PDB file of all heavy atoms in Angstrom:
ATOM      1  N   ASP Q  48       1.221  10.656 -40.584  1.00 96.00           N
ATOM      2  CA  ASP Q  48       1.120  11.250 -41.926  1.00 96.00           C
ATOM      3  C   ASP Q  48       2.497  11.520 -42.515  1.00 96.00           C
ATOM      4  O   ASP Q  48       2.753  11.225 -43.688  1.00 96.00           O
ATOM      5  CB  ASP Q  48       0.304  12.539 -41.891  1.00 96.00           C
ATOM      6  CG  ASP Q  48      -1.173  12.298 -41.640  1.00 96.00           C
ATOM      7  OD1 ASP Q  48      -1.655  11.194 -41.965  1.00 96.00           O
ATOM      8  OD2 ASP Q  48      -1.837  13.211 -41.118  1.00 96.00           O
ATOM      9  N   GLN Q  49       3.405  12.066 -41.714  1.00 97.00           N
ATOM     10  CA  GLN Q  49       4.756  12.348 -42.200  1.00 97.00           C
ATOM     11  C   GLN Q  49       5.529  11.057 -42.472  1.00 97.00           C
ATOM     12  O   GLN Q  49       6.272  10.961 -43.448  1.00 97.00           O
ATOM     13  CB  GLN Q  49       5.520  13.212 -41.186  1.00 97.00           C
ATOM     14  CG  GLN Q  49       5.093  14.648 -41.181  1.00 97.00           C
ATOM     15  CD  GLN Q  49       5.378  15.310 -42.518  1.00 97.00           C
ATOM     16  OE1 GLN Q  49       6.511  15.322 -42.990  1.00 97.00           O
ATOM     17  NE2 GLN Q  49       4.339  15.849 -43.141  1.00 97.00           N
ATOM     18  N   LEU Q  50       5.341  10.060 -41.627  1.00 97.00           N
ATOM     19  CA  LEU Q  50       6.002   8.773 -41.815  1.00 97.00           C
ATOM     20  C   LEU Q  50       5.565   8.133 -43.127  1.00 97.00           C
ATOM     21  O   LEU Q  50       6.396   7.701 -43.933  1.00 97.00           O
ATOM     22  CB  LEU Q  50       5.677   7.857 -40.637  1.00 97.00           C
ATOM     23  CG  LEU Q  50       6.385   6.520 -40.575  1.00 97.00           C
ATOM     24  CD1 LEU Q  50       7.877   6.674 -40.444  1.00 97.00           C
ATOM     25  CD2 LEU Q  50       5.831   5.700 -39.417  1.00 97.00           C
ATOM     26  N   LEU Q  51       4.254   8.111 -43.374  1.00 97.00           N
ATOM     27  CA  LEU Q  51       3.744   7.540 -44.621  1.00 97.00           C
ATOM     28  C   LEU Q  51       4.175   8.355 -45.836  1.00 97.00           C
ATOM     29  O   LEU Q  51       4.461   7.784 -46.898  1.00 97.00           O
ATOM     30  CB  LEU Q  51       2.221   7.429 -44.569  1.00 97.00           C
ATOM     31  CG  LEU Q  51       1.678   6.337 -43.652  1.00 97.00           C
ATOM     32  CD1 LEU Q  51       0.175   6.474 -43.500  1.00 97.00           C
ATOM     33  CD2 LEU Q  51       2.064   4.965 -44.161  1.00 97.00           C
ATOM     34  N   THR Q  52       4.236   9.662 -45.702  1.00 97.00           N
ATOM     35  CA  THR Q  52       4.710  10.504 -46.803  1.00 97.00           C
ATOM     36  C   THR Q  52       6.158  10.153 -47.142  1.00 97.00           C
ATOM     37  O   THR Q  52       6.525  10.071 -48.315  1.00 97.00           O
ATOM     38  CB  THR Q  52       4.574  11.998 -46.446  1.00 97.00           C
ATOM     39  OG1 THR Q  52       3.198  12.285 -46.208  1.00 97.00           O
ATOM     40  CG2 THR Q  52       5.086  12.888 -47.566  1.00 97.00           C
ATOM     41  N   GLY Q  53       6.969   9.915 -46.123  1.00 98.00           N
ATOM     42  CA  GLY Q  53       8.355   9.510 -46.356  1.00 98.00           C
ATOM     43  C   GLY Q  53       8.446   8.165 -47.047  1.00 98.00           C
ATOM     44  O   GLY Q  53       9.222   7.992 -47.994  1.00 98.00           O
ATOM     45  N   VAL Q  54       7.655   7.200 -46.604  1.00 98.00           N
ATOM     46  CA  VAL Q  54       7.647   5.877 -47.245  1.00 98.00           C
ATOM     47  C   VAL Q  54       7.214   6.005 -48.699  1.00 98.00           C
ATOM     48  O   VAL Q  54       7.862   5.480 -49.617  1.00 98.00           O
ATOM     49  CB  VAL Q  54       6.719   4.898 -46.486  1.00 98.00           C
ATOM     50  CG1 VAL Q  54       6.485   3.626 -47.298  1.00 98.00           C
ATOM     51  CG2 VAL Q  54       7.278   4.569 -45.106  1.00 98.00           C
ATOM     52  N   ARG Q  55       6.141   6.733 -48.942  1.00 97.00           N
ATOM     53  CA  ARG Q  55       5.599   6.861 -50.303  1.00 97.00           C
ATOM     54  C   ARG Q  55       6.482   7.698 -51.217  1.00 97.00           C
ATOM     55  O   ARG Q  55       6.370   7.598 -52.438  1.00 97.00           O
ATOM     56  CB  ARG Q  55       4.186   7.417 -50.235  1.00 97.00           C
ATOM     57  CG  ARG Q  55       3.221   6.402 -49.645  1.00 97.00           C
ATOM     58  CD  ARG Q  55       1.788   6.878 -49.671  1.00 97.00           C
ATOM     59  NE  ARG Q  55       0.911   5.830 -49.165  1.00 97.00           N
ATOM     60  CZ  ARG Q  55       0.061   5.992 -48.176  1.00 97.00           C
ATOM     61  NH1 ARG Q  55      -0.072   7.170 -47.587  1.00 97.00           N
ATOM     62  NH2 ARG Q  55      -0.699   4.989 -47.766  1.00 97.00           N
ATOM     63  N   SER Q  56       7.369   8.519 -50.652  1.00 97.00           N
ATOM     64  CA  SER Q  56       8.298   9.273 -51.497  1.00 97.00           C
ATOM     65  C   SER Q  56       9.298   8.341 -52.170  1.00 97.00           C
ATOM     66  O   SER Q  56       9.891   8.694 -53.187  1.00 97.00           O
ATOM     67  CB  SER Q  56       9.031  10.342 -50.679  1.00 97.00           C
ATOM     68  OG  SER Q  56       9.992   9.772 -49.816  1.00 97.00           O
ATOM     69  N   VAL Q  57       9.476   7.148 -51.628  1.00 97.00           N
ATOM     70  CA  VAL Q  57      10.403   6.160 -52.201  1.00 97.00           C
ATOM     71  C   VAL Q  57       9.639   5.033 -52.887  1.00 97.00           C
ATOM     72  O   VAL Q  57      10.001   4.599 -53.977  1.00 97.00           O
ATOM     73  CB  VAL Q  57      11.332   5.582 -51.106  1.00 97.00           C
ATOM     74  CG1 VAL Q  57      12.255   4.521 -51.680  1.00 97.00           C
ATOM     75  CG2 VAL Q  57      12.123   6.693 -50.428  1.00 97.00           C
ATOM     76  N   LEU Q  58       8.582   4.548 -52.253  1.00 97.00           N
ATOM     77  CA  LEU Q  58       7.810   3.404 -52.760  1.00 97.00           C
ATOM     78  C   LEU Q  58       6.352   3.813 -52.948  1.00 97.00           C
ATOM     79  O   LEU Q  58       5.458   3.345 -52.239  1.00 97.00           O
ATOM     80  CB  LEU Q  58       7.931   2.225 -51.781  1.00 97.00           C
ATOM     81  CG  LEU Q  58       9.338   1.658 -51.602  1.00 97.00           C
ATOM     82  CD1 LEU Q  58       9.396   0.698 -50.434  1.00 97.00           C
ATOM     83  CD2 LEU Q  58       9.806   0.986 -52.884  1.00 97.00           C
ATOM     84  N   ALA Q  59       6.125   4.657 -53.909  1.00 95.00           N
ATOM     85  CA  ALA Q  59       4.809   5.282 -54.101  1.00 95.00           C
ATOM     86  C   ALA Q  59       3.695   4.294 -54.435  1.00 95.00           C
ATOM     87  O   ALA Q  59       2.549   4.506 -54.064  1.00 95.00           O
ATOM     88  CB  ALA Q  59       4.896   6.345 -55.195  1.00 95.00           C
ATOM     89  N   ASN Q  60       4.003   3.211 -55.144  1.00 94.00           N
ATOM     90  CA  ASN Q  60       2.954   2.329 -55.632  1.00 94.00           C
ATOM     91  C   ASN Q  60       2.769   1.052 -54.825  1.00 94.00           C
ATOM     92  O   ASN Q  60       1.978   0.199 -55.205  1.00 94.00           O
ATOM     93  CB  ASN Q  60       3.217   1.984 -57.099  1.00 94.00           C
ATOM     94  CG  ASN Q  60       3.139   3.223 -57.966  1.00 94.00           C
ATOM     95  OD1 ASN Q  60       2.266   4.058 -57.789  1.00 94.00           O
ATOM     96  ND2 ASN Q  60       4.084   3.362 -58.882  1.00 94.00           N
ATOM     97  N   SER Q  61       3.493   0.914 -53.726  1.00 96.00           N
ATOM     98  CA  SER Q  61       3.344  -0.277 -52.883  1.00 96.00           C
ATOM     99  C   SER Q  61       2.312   0.006 -51.794  1.00 96.00           C
ATOM    100  O   SER Q  61       2.463   0.958 -51.031  1.00 96.00           O
ATOM    101  CB  SER Q  61       4.685  -0.636 -52.236  1.00 96.00           C
ATOM    102  OG  SER Q  61       5.644  -0.984 -53.206  1.00 96.00           O
ATOM    103  N   PRO Q  62       1.271  -0.813 -51.698  1.00 95.00           N
ATOM    104  CA  PRO Q  62       0.276  -0.601 -50.652  1.00 95.00           C
ATOM    105  C   PRO Q  62       0.893  -0.819 -49.269  1.00 95.00           C
ATOM    106  O   PRO Q  62       1.792  -1.648 -49.108  1.00 95.00           O
ATOM    107  CB  PRO Q  62      -0.804  -1.634 -50.950  1.00 95.00           C
ATOM    108  CG  PRO Q  62      -0.216  -2.596 -51.893  1.00 95.00           C
ATOM    109  CD  PRO Q  62       0.944  -1.946 -52.558  1.00 95.00           C
TER     110      PRO Q  62
END
Side-chain angles (χ1 to χ4, degrees):
D48 290 334
Q49 285 297 304
L50 186 63
L51 288 170
T52 299
V54 168
R55 290 185 177 125
S56 73
V57 178
L58 297 169
N60 296 318
S61 296

